[in-house]
Amino acid sequence: MTSPIKVLLAEDQSMVREALAALLGLEDDIEVVAQVARGDQVLAAVGAHGVDVALLDIEMPGCTGIEAAAQVHREFPQVKLVVLTTFGRPGYLRSAMEAGADAFLVKDAPAAQLAEAIRKVLSGERVIDPTLAAAALAEGANPLTEREREVLRAAADGATNAELAKALHLSQGTVRNYLSTAIQKLAVRNRAEAVRTAREKGWL
């Protein structure tokens, strides 16, 4: 008899995680061998349980599912990565693929579809939610550089330019330039709108 596919579930909402585990547990060829609630617990759990497929939510404490995917892809390249999201943000899809994800699905997809995606990625296929794929193509690439994203993320809680400069080890003029360029690229009026727009598109 073929051994079941060993799956790790990473999801910070315990009700959602337990529901997913229960649904996947109904599949004869899938076994949920580990569950974690934080992104920074994923790598250790993958190593400890000999996981075949990691199911990763994006929004988690510790680090995001996309960051966790990149870590697993680097340390355990044989492990298949399925990223799940509540938010259909096109930028997330691009980031997930760059991090090494093999599948990108929305959480409200039917359980049978998720189980089928697990089987498909294990056989070498890529599985991407078609609506998100179309939206990502229509949206185009993230126009922000890594530095601009870093400054916008730091500015999200309302820090002044002086505070940002100190935290990021940059001059105030440089911070101002990065913010100004980001605002221009996103065609918005101020930094608060820039942060909101970049987040909505999944670019931060």
Side-chain angles (χ1 to χ4, degrees), residues 77-98:
Q78 76 282 7
V79 173
K80 301 298 181 180
L81 302 163
V82 177
V83 173
L84 297 173
T85 181
T86 311
F87 310 103
R89 294 174 183 165
Y92 279 164
L93 171 57
R94 197 175 290 268
S95 299
M97 293 298 127
E98 287 171 358

Side-chain angles (χ1 to χ4, degrees), residues 10 36-45 60-65 67-68 71:
V36 298
R38 296 175 57 89
D40 53 7
Q41 296 171 337
V42 169
L43 192 63
M60 288 188 287
C63 73
T64 68
E67 290 165 337
Q71 293 170 7

Side-chain angles (χ1 to χ4, degrees), residues 125-164:
E125 291 184 52
R126 269 205 162 160
V127 183
I128 298 170
D129 180 276
T131 307
L132 285 176
L137 283 172
E139 194 67 63
N142 184 346
L144 302 171
T145 66
E146 182 51 49
R147 264 305 202 188
E148 287 159 4
R149 290 201 296 271
E150 183 184 17
V151 173
L152 275 185
R153 278 193 291 264
D157 60 1
T160 64
N161 283 359
E163 290 166 338
L164 291 173

